[in-house]
Every structure is written in C-alpha cells, then in structure tokens.
Amino acid sequence: MEYNPNWIAVDWGTSNLRAWVMDAQNRPQHALESARGMGTLEPDQFEAALMALIDPYLPIGLVTEVLCCGMVGARQGWAEAAYVAVPAAPPTAKTALRVPTSDPRISVSIIPGMMQKSPADVMRGEETQILGVLHDDPEFDGVICLPGTHTKWAHISAGEVVSFRTFMTGETFALLSTRSVLRHSMAETDWDIRAFEDGLSTGLTDPKRVAANLFSLRATGLVDEASNLNAYSTLSGLLIGLELGGAKPYWLGQQVLIVGSGHQSEIYRHALVKQGADAKILSGDHITRLGLSQARA
Amino acid sequence: MEYNPNWIAVDWGTSNLRAWVMDAQNRPQHALESARGMGTLEPDQFEAALMALIDPYLPIGLVTEVLCCGMVGARQGWAEAAYVAVPAAPPTAKTALRVPTSDPRISVSIIPGMMQKSPADVMRGEETQILGVLHDDPEFDGVICLPGTHTKWAHISAGEVVSFRTFMTGETFALLSTRSVLRHSMAETDWDIRAFEDGLSTGLTDPKRVAANLFSLRATGLVDEASNLNAYSTLSGLLIGLELGGAKPYWLGQQVLIVGSGHQSEIYRHALVKQGADAKILSGDHITRLGLSQARA
C-alpha cells in the first residue's frame, strides 16, 4: 500500500470528539464532531466512535494517518500514553503512542500529555495547543492561559514548558450555578461587566471573603426583591478572581496569550487587562490544528 | 373541644421532615422522621406529608398543636412566614404563622426565619436552635456556629441575634467530592486528621491558594501512584479553612458554641480549638426540641 499524504487531526476530549480531514498542506478540508467524548466510551468502543466520524473520508487502498491529542490518551481512554515530565518541549508524533486498530485503513497514534511533579499537575491536549503557539512563534517567551472546564496556565521559555498549573474554576462555576442553591438566583440576564468586576476584585484582593460572599448571592434577592444584583456575573468574577490570585506568579508582569474562544476567553482577557497584564486571544481550534500539524513536522 | 396539653414539635427542612410527640413537660415521647422535606413537596402536599407521620399519635376529639420551624416557612414551602430582621430576639410562637388545615384535629403554625439586610443573609430553622441555646443559658453572650449544608455563624448578645453569616461549605464540599473530577480521588479511606489540618492551614492563612490546590488533589495520584495523600480530608480542610478565614470576626477571641452532631461538628470544633478558640458542642436535635418548647413558653 502507498502512504497517503492526507491525514486526520483529532482532538479527543472528555466530552467531545473533534476531527479535521487535512490536506497535504495541513489545511482542514472537513471539520467533523461528535459527542462521543472519552468520558462516554469504554476502551473497545473508541475505534468504532472514530470510524463513525471519519469513514466516509478515507481513501480506498491507502493507509491514512490519524493523529490524536487529549483525554483519549488517559488511563480511562483508548490507550494510555505516558506523560512527559516538565520542564520539556511539548511532545510530538515522534513519541506518540501507536494504537492497534482492526481496520487496516487507519494508522492511529496518540500524543502524550505532560505532567509536573511538584506541585502535582497534569495536562492532556493543552500540550498540543502549546506546540501550536510555538509553531506560530518559535521564540515565544511568556505565559499561555488556556481557559476551559479546567483552565491551565503554562510558563513557556526556550521552546519548553517550564511549569504549569490547573484551576478547576470552570467546573466549580458550573456546579455552583446549576447544582447548588445558587441556581435559584441565576436568572437569564445579560452579562453585567460591573458585577463581574466587583466579584473579581473581591476574589483577587480579599480571597477569604469568597466563601462568605457566595450565599449572599442567593440571600440578596430574598432580602431585597428590588435588588438588581447580577448573581451570575458576580459569581463568575469571584471565582476567576480567586483563580487570578492563585495564578499571580504566572501573569504578573508577563505577556499572556489566551488560547480559546468565545465569552470565557473574553472575560479572562478583560480580567487580566484590568490588572495591567498584556493579554491577547488566539483561536483555540486554529491553534489545536496548528499543534497537531506541527507534531508531525 | 378541649385543648390537649400534649403537642407536636416539627423541624421541617429542605430534605427531611422530623417530628417529636411531646408531653406536657416538653419531653419527647416519640421521634418520627420522613424524607418528605420541603424540597420534595408542592404547597398542597404538606398537610398530607405531616399527617402520614403524626396521625397515629393524635388524640380523638381534641385539637393538637403542631409547631414547626425550618424551610417549611419559605416561599416555596407550605406557607411563607415572613423573616424577622436582626438585631432581634429569635421569634417565638407568638409571631408564628397560623396555617389553615383541612383536618380539624391539628392546629399548625410556623415560626418565622430571620434575615439580615447587609451583608444580605437569611436563616430558617437555626433561629429556633438559637432560642434553644438561650433557653439553656439566657445570659449566653458569644457566638453560635451551626454546621450543616449551609453553616451559620451567629453573634448573640443580650438575648438577641446581633448578626449572622452563612457559608456554603457543606454544599460545596458535597458537589466537589461527588460531582467534580475530584470524585475519582475520593477513595473510601479513614479520616486523616493531619491531611485535614494541612488543608485547613492553607485555606485559613493563604486562601488564594485554595483554587490552585484543588486540582492537585486529583493530579497527585496520577503523578505519583505511591502517594498516600488523603484527598477527602485535605479538601475538607481547604474549604473549612477558607470558611474560618471569612468567619474570623465571629470566632476570634470568642466563646463558640457548636450546635450539631457527628463528624461535621467534631471537625469544626477541632479546627476552632486549633486556632485557640474556646469551642464546645451541643447536640443539635436536643437544642431544636428545646427551642421549639421555648418558643411556646
């Protein structure tokens, strides 16, 4: 069989499976997506979940390379791709884990995640986005912030990930706003930047008040029905403020690149600029594809 | 009809309905309990839920008084009993809300909750426990801590609730330990007092590190399989430490009475004693019955 120059880039997280059919110049020809994230699959279901998405795009009589990053490489994933310890350059296809498949038309491998011994931390998927940033700017020296369910902050220097730290802010916000008593106060309202900034300031400058202020978000509406407190925006500010306080060594006086999209990335940028940090946003999807392409270079 | 001196004390919270059949000397004769908490009932279902529990104990041909405290008096409860604003003495049966019933054998009333305008806060049920403490010790001057899903701290002086504050620590702990990614690290292990104290110290003295440390509870086991980190006890310490930091004006240099029972009250006591506070525990059930009895006095 002849090797096909076209390949498939895969970002396989806990909740979603996303794939791009790439041409020989690393340009995405098709964007594919399913809800068959790692969290929904047993190890023997991964190949079928992938094939359900990409089968129509596989050429006949050729082997197509499929390069994956993300939680697909976790112990509970398709196959465990051991972590690379920082400080180190982000791993590439050279150290990726080859995964046997029953379908002979694909050759699948998974890029390892990275880990840090102390403070203990791990990432899977973000290392490939960092590689994408370095492809764009090989001399990048500074901090990359990757907002998400678990936001990562990574210090990058001389082409290596020097250190990184994970904050569960997104997951905590989702739990408190949809599952706790605070859900009763999360009316569908417009985003209120002033309320966000108030919460942010409290969380960042007086973090011990965060626990005290949470229940007030509920009680304010009970005590004063005329209150126009925007509990949703305030809660977001309190939690991101607490995160920025803990992540201060990462962003203080640094050039920060935010890799992501939409509202969440915008509010991180707003919060950082408010603290005098230099922050700009790069599209997460674009950077993921760049990273997977760079991993094959 | 002749009035019956025996009565029924009811503590009706969000999750549970508890009732005690009391004799004329306010001694509990029967303890009854069901899972038909306020959160499970529509307004027209409360009477039936109560009768299912107490009907066998009602004397024939008499009207029995039923005095309730707790979330049963919330807007989503049986009937809304308006809050009493602090500073004020805890409300009694005199200001309780009479609730009409279709069964003529019972006369039901609900003790109001208390509210605070600034910082905005509310309580329902705890005001009756505070009344129970004051029954025991009318001269009590100090702080009452009531651990629970939503822990309350109340400053009591001259028979009045001067101020109070609610912390969602119990609910946050439950969400993070059972619904977040941290659930994978919450092995069934013994309580580890050292791990609790480590978390407590971080949460109390360096609260901005709490957000940074949460994900480490998960990552430690991934990075070092030989780690014997007790993530459950550490998480509890981090969150209670953050609470104690925010509640410091309540307990610093104060005599603290903890009203509750079991493990949760013990760890609050341990944490407070560790900070040099004088803290002792009173049984929550006993105090609730004392409070309901006192409310009728």
Side-chain angles (χ1 to χ4, degrees):
Chain A
M1 285 195 218
E2 185 189 357
Y3 205 79
N4 178 26
N6 294 353
W7 62 290
I8 297 184
V10 175
D11 177 15
W12 206 328
T14 302
S15 314
N16 290 289
L17 160 58
R18 296 183 316 152
W20 297 276
V21 179
M22 307 288 273
D23 71 9
Q25 282 76 46
N26 293 329
R27 291 173 305 203
Q29 303 300 300
H30 303 278
L32 312 169
E33 188 161 357
S34 91
R36 310 221 55 195
M38 177 278 265
T40 71
L41 299 167
E42 295 300 316
D44 61 2
Q45 300 175 319
F46 280 82
E47 183 176 342
L50 177 67
M51 292 307 290
L53 212 54
I54 68 172
D55 196 323
Y57 302 92
L58 296 178
I60 295 165
L62 298 172
V63 174
T64 300
E65 180 186 349
V66 178
L67 184 60
C68 309
C69 69
M71 291 299 286
V72 64
R75 184 164 304 171
Q76 302 81 14
W78 191 344
E80 187 176 6
Y83 296 111
V84 173
V86 297
T92 67
K94 289 190 189 65
T95 52
L97 177 74
R98 260 295 262 118
V99 186
T101 56
S102 54
D103 194 311
R105 292 174 296 160
I106 51 174
S107 165
V108 175
S109 42
I110 302 174
I111 297 177
M114 300 190 87
M115 64 98 131
Q116 176 173 279
K117 287 212 167 137
S118 179
D121 217 321
V122 293
M123 63 166 70
R124 282 198 187 276
E126 293 87 355
E127 74 296 323
T128 302
Q129 295 188 299
I130 293 170
L131 196 64
V133 171
L134 289 170
H135 170 78
D136 233 18
D137 177 5
E139 306 303 315
F140 180 81
D141 194 305
V143 167
I144 301 177
C145 170
L146 306 116
T149 305
H150 298 159
T151 295
K152 312 273 179 187
W153 294 80
H155 177 207
I156 311 297
S157 189
E160 295 196 334
V161 180
V162 179
S163 68
F164 66 101
R165 207 73 207 267
T166 302
F167 292 77
M168 292 173 53
T169 305
E171 186 166 25
T172 306
F173 180 80
L175 287 171
L176 289 175
S177 64
T178 65
R179 305 249 190 193
S180 86
V181 70
L182 299 184
R183 70 187 183 278
H184 301 300
S185 303
M186 298 289 146
E188 288 280 340
T189 52
D190 290 339
W191 179 250
D192 180 341
I193 191 72
R194 184 76 67 82
F196 173 75
E197 288 177 359
D198 284 350
L200 183 73
S201 168
T202 300
L204 181 52
T205 63
D206 199 1
K208 68 177 182 302
R209 284 178 55 207
V210 170
N213 283 18
L214 288 181
F215 189 73
S216 293
L217 299 178
R218 169 73 180 137
T220 296
L222 296 173
V223 162
D224 174 12
E225 294 193 22
S227 160
N228 57 0
L229 172 77
N230 188 312
Y232 183 92
S233 305
T234 309
L235 176 63
S236 175
L238 284 170
L239 297 181
I240 291 181
L242 195 62
E243 170 174 342
L244 289 195
K248 205 167 195 171
Y250 279 90
W251 55 262
L252 193 67
Q254 289 283 347
Q255 180 196 3
V256 180
L257 263 188
I258 297 168
V259 174
S261 61
H263 176 71
Q264 195 186 20
S265 291
E266 281 298 337
I267 62 180
Y268 271 86
R269 193 190 60 79
H270 183 86
L272 284 165
V273 168
K274 195 89 189 160
Q275 311 316 315
D278 172 20
K280 67 171 187 166
I281 299 177
L282 291 180
S283 154
D285 274 13
H286 172 67
I287 289 293
T288 302
R289 287 193 305 268
L290 270 189
L292 285 161
S293 302
Q294 177 68 7
R296 297 174 67 242
Chain B
M1 286 192 211
E2 186 189 355
Y3 205 80
N4 178 26
N6 294 355
W7 63 289
I8 298 187
V10 175
D11 177 15
W12 206 328
T14 302
S15 312
N16 290 288
L17 160 58
R18 296 184 314 153
W20 297 277
V21 180
M22 307 288 272
D23 72 9
Q25 282 74 47
N26 292 330
R27 291 172 306 203
Q29 303 301 302
H30 303 277
L32 312 169
E33 188 162 356
S34 92
R36 310 221 54 194
M38 177 277 266
T40 71
L41 298 168
E42 295 300 316
D44 61 2
Q45 299 175 319
F46 280 83
E47 183 176 343
L50 177 67
M51 292 308 291
L53 212 55
I54 68 172
D55 196 322
Y57 302 92
L58 295 177
I60 294 165
L62 298 172
V63 174
T64 299
E65 181 187 348
V66 178
L67 185 60
C68 309
C69 69
M71 290 300 285
V72 64
R75 184 164 307 171
Q76 303 81 14
W78 192 345
E80 187 175 5
Y83 296 111
V84 173
V86 298
T92 67
K94 288 188 190 69
T95 51
L97 177 74
R98 262 294 263 114
V99 185
T101 56
S102 54
D103 195 310
R105 294 173 296 162
I106 51 173
S107 164
V108 175
S109 43
I110 302 174
I111 297 177
M114 300 190 87
M115 64 98 133
Q116 175 173 278
K117 286 214 167 139
S118 178
D121 218 323
V122 293
M123 63 166 70
R124 284 200 187 272
E126 293 87 356
E127 74 296 323
T128 302
Q129 295 188 299
I130 293 169
L131 196 64
V133 171
L134 289 170
H135 171 78
D136 232 20
D137 177 4
E139 307 302 315
F140 179 81
D141 194 306
V143 168
I144 301 177
C145 170
L146 306 116
T149 304
H150 298 159
T151 295
K152 311 273 179 187
W153 294 80
H155 177 207
I156 312 297
S157 188
E160 295 195 334
V161 179
V162 179
S163 68
F164 67 101
R165 205 74 207 264
T166 303
F167 291 77
M168 293 172 54
T169 306
E171 186 167 25
T172 306
F173 179 80
L175 287 171
L176 289 176
S177 64
T178 66
R179 305 247 188 194
S180 86
V181 69
L182 300 183
R183 69 187 184 279
H184 301 300
S185 303
M186 298 289 146
E188 288 282 338
T189 52
D190 291 339
W191 180 249
D192 180 341
I193 191 71
R194 184 73 68 83
F196 173 74
E197 288 176 358
D198 284 351
L200 184 73
S201 168
T202 299
L204 183 51
T205 63
D206 199 2
K208 68 178 182 301
R209 282 178 56 209
V210 170
N213 283 19
L214 289 180
F215 189 74
S216 293
L217 299 176
R218 169 71 180 141
T220 297
L222 296 172
V223 163
D224 173 12
E225 294 194 19
S227 159
N228 57 1
L229 172 77
N230 188 311
Y232 184 90
S233 305
T234 309
L235 176 62
S236 175
L238 283 170
L239 296 181
I240 291 180
L242 195 62
E243 171 174 342
L244 289 195
K248 205 169 196 172
Y250 279 90
W251 55 262
L252 192 68
Q254 290 282 348
Q255 179 196 4
V256 180
L257 264 188
I258 297 168
V259 174
S261 61
H263 175 71
Q264 195 187 20
S265 292
E266 281 298 338
I267 62 179
Y268 271 86
R269 193 190 61 78
H270 183 87
L272 283 165
V273 169
K274 195 89 189 159
Q275 311 315 317
D278 171 20
K280 68 170 187 166
I281 298 178
L282 292 179
S283 154
D285 274 12
H286 173 66
I287 289 292
T288 302
R289 287 193 305 268
L290 269 189
L292 285 161
S293 302
Q294 176 68 8
R296 296 175 67 242

